[in-house]
Amino acid sequence: MNSDNTRMRAVVIPEFGEAEVLRVERMPVPEPGPGQVAIDVAHAGANFAEVLYRRGVVDVPLPFVPGIEVSGHVRAVGAGVTGLAVGQPVAALTIVDSGGYAEVVVTSAALVAPLDGLDLGLDVAAALPSNSTTAFLVLERVARLAPGERVLVHAAAGGVGSQLGQVARLLGAGRVVGTVGGEAKIETARGFGYDEVILRDRLAEAGEFDVVVDMVGGPARAASLERLAPMGRLVVMGNASGAEDVGLPANHLWFTNRTVSGFNLAAFSAAFPAEAGRALRRAVRSAADGTLRVAVETLPLELAAEAHRRIESGRTTGKLVLDIAAA
């Protein structure tokens, strides 16, 4: 940030549209309220969620600063905040109110994970709050994964897919299979804890699973339901394909003893901030001790639009992170 401590640089969505609408502008520096923390942002994760904000799929007020996860240092703490101090390195979920594509962001103290004493770079730390936290919550809280169960994950080479395979392994899953949309991503996905990686259009040959996690939607969602074993659980957590919503027949679930659940990290973090924070801190510890691997590619803040284009095209593997401090 420059010498004017009341203004900061931020990527702004001034109007809904394609990636080109993103602008770097100067904005007022936010101040923390009670129970909140202000963070000087070092890095911000780039996610499909921010693409949805930019497209207008999610109803947000304009102009809007996207950014659902960051790393950096505590700038200020609000009234009632304990356990966090100015200057402390942290990773944080900023998903409830967004704002992470900026030099300063404010979020609930419950959604902040200290990084003191951990062997974890701030670039990697910024890639954990959304995807890695989601992986633990989806598999434990929503799917209630039991040791030895079979897990299928769509988009296995992507940001959250790269974490779901590894977390399934950490939680004692038996067979863990990932799907990808093209041959070029198979080898990348294999490095993220999967026993097998298959093309999504070969799903009918994959066998049965106790848990399927689908962030793709469209034909993959309907086909996933048929891959569920008796008492199997399908967790719906995205629609990256942009396809029309898929109707799931309730009577079919009744007769086949199957379950469909939804998970949205923003809504969960707003309703259960303490639980989301615990999952975040667990993800941070797992990455720091090497049991959870995150592949990170860093882009400068000014290339936020390029990050969005790459996410939309499906060309990304692992996680894109914006370097805010370098700006």
Side-chain angles (χ1 to χ4, degrees):
M1 226 163 22
N2 67 11
S3 57
D4 181 1
N5 288 327
T6 67
R7 308 287 289 180
M8 66 176 184
R9 285 160 51 85
V11 171
V12 175
I13 302 172
E15 58 182 320
F16 299 126
E18 299 301 316
E20 290 72 23
V21 303
L22 296 176
R23 297 283 184 271
V24 178
E25 298 183 0
R26 300 203 64 78
M27 305 280 291
V29 172
E31 297 291 338
Q36 293 184 320
V37 174
I39 298 168
D40 284 320
V41 179
H43 294 84
N47 301 274
F48 192 72
E50 291 121 18
V51 171
L52 298 180
Y53 295 148
R54 194 205 72 228
R55 290 177 179 172
V57 175
V58 181
D59 186 20
V60 295
L62 299 179
F64 185 76
V65 179
I68 66 173
E69 59 182 344
V70 303
S71 67
H73 295 84
V74 175
R75 176 185 179 89
V77 297
V81 174
T82 60
L84 294 168
V86 172
Q88 191 173 21
V90 294
L93 271 169
T94 54
I95 194 168
V96 176
D97 296 312
S98 204
Y101 286 15
E103 290 179 311
V104 180
V105 68
V106 166
T107 191
S108 167
L111 300 175
V112 176
L115 302 176
D116 312 63
L118 299 180
D119 184 17
L120 200 61
L122 289 177
D123 55 344
V124 174
L128 298 168
S130 173
N131 295 336
S132 306
T133 301
T134 290
F136 279 108
L137 289 171
V138 162
L139 291 173
E140 282 193 310
R141 180 73 149 83
V142 183
R144 294 179 171 85
L145 180 66
E149 287 193 312
R150 301 156 294 178
V151 177
L152 176 73
V153 176
H154 290 301
V160 69
S162 72
Q163 301 303 286
L164 282 159
Q166 295 181 80
V167 171
R169 278 271 169 258
L170 290 176
L171 299 178
R175 183 182 178 221
V176 183
V177 177
T179 78
V180 293
E183 295 273 1
K185 292 187 176 183
I186 289 178
E187 286 305 315
T188 299
R190 281 180 178 152
F192 292 123
Y194 292 97
D195 295 310
E196 306 165 50
V197 179
I198 62 174
L199 294 177
R200 201 164 299 124
D201 58 13
R202 304 284 298 275
L203 190 57
E205 306 167 19
E208 287 190 330
F209 295 90
D210 303 292
V211 173
V212 178
V213 184
D214 174 33
M215 64 287 285
V216 174
R221 184 152 300 162
S224 295
L225 189 62
E226 296 308 314
R227 298 274 59 78
L228 289 180
M231 300 306 295
R233 289 87 73 198
L234 169 61
V235 183
V236 174
M237 50 166 290
N239 188 35
S241 68
E244 291 295 320
D245 199 7
V246 175
L248 299 175
N251 281 350
H252 181 69
L253 301 178
W254 165 33
F255 284 117
T256 59
N257 291 302
R258 292 165 173 165
T259 299
V260 178
S261 300
F263 180 80
N264 180 282
L265 183 60
F268 187 93
S269 298
F272 309 104
E275 189 172 353
R278 285 193 295 271
L280 167 58
R281 290 184 283 277
R282 184 176 180 185
V284 165
R285 291 193 301 271
S286 297
D289 68 19
T291 55
L292 197 62
R293 185 174 72 85
V294 184
V296 172
E297 181 182 351
T298 302
L299 295 174
L301 174 67
E302 290 81 2
L303 292 185
E306 172 61 16
H308 277 217
R309 282 189 287 266
R310 289 172 58 178
I311 290 170
E312 289 177 284
S313 72
R315 290 184 284 126
T316 57
T317 58
K319 189 63 177 276
L320 292 176
V321 169
L322 299 177
D323 190 340
I324 307 296

